[in-house]
Amino acid sequence: ERVYPSLSDLPTTPDCAVLAVPNPQLVPVMEEAAELGVPSAVIFASAHDGQEERQGSLEETLAAVARENGLVVCGPNCMGFLSFEHNLTVSGYPVVPGTPGGHVTLISHSGSVFDSLWQNDRQIYFNYVVSSGNEMVTTMADYMLFALENASTRVIALFLETVRDEAHRAGAFVIFDEITIGWRRCLGGAHLGLAVEPDLAVFAKAL
């Protein structure tokens, strides 16, 4: 098929822009997508520029462009997403044609877990598989709410680096069952070391 040199050269506005470009090119391409009215984007690059702790970092700049223009963004530093329900692949990973859809939504911070779990051979089939990456704009809770609104979703599996958004947005409680391991990680419980405030922390076995 024909290849176009830029988003502006496309004959129509795409529903999603896949930013498969290096970090130095992310801002101009994101700004171009915003100017064209592209509603969503997927960013594979890390968006790390060594300025993460300072105002004006690359990721902060990208997030500002997205929020000011209402872009839904998957990533950065992600592997994209798969919709088996709609035969849609927005990822660098190959998908075997004819892979059946199912009723499990997998949302993973880890790209390796994203890839390995959906390619399982245990007859577990997915409707959606999302590699959330850094969750710069769109968070784990946003993906969960989307999945919960879909009639085909019966199970949601999460692989979390941390709780990035309030679970209360999804009408859920955060419960840490720390058993005895929690206190080994941090005095007072693992949730303190992870900077997560659960609604309930359970230490029954420790007592």
Side-chain angles (χ1 to χ4, degrees), residues 165-179:
D165 208 350
E166 295 183 7
H168 297 162
R169 286 185 55 189
F173 290 97
V174 178
I175 300 176
F176 270 40
D177 187 358
E178 305 217 16
I179 315 177

Side-chain angles (χ1 to χ4, degrees), residues 4-5 18 29 49 56 59 74-75 85 91 105 115 118 124 131 135-136 138 145 157 162 187 192 200:
Y4 296 89
V18 180
V29 176
D49 60 356
E59 187 168 312
C74 181
E85 191 170 78
S91 174
T105 295
D115 184 46
W118 82 259
I124 299 175
S131 169
E135 300 175 33
M136 179 182 75
T138 310
L145 289 171
T162 184
L187 182 63
L192 296 179
L200 178 66

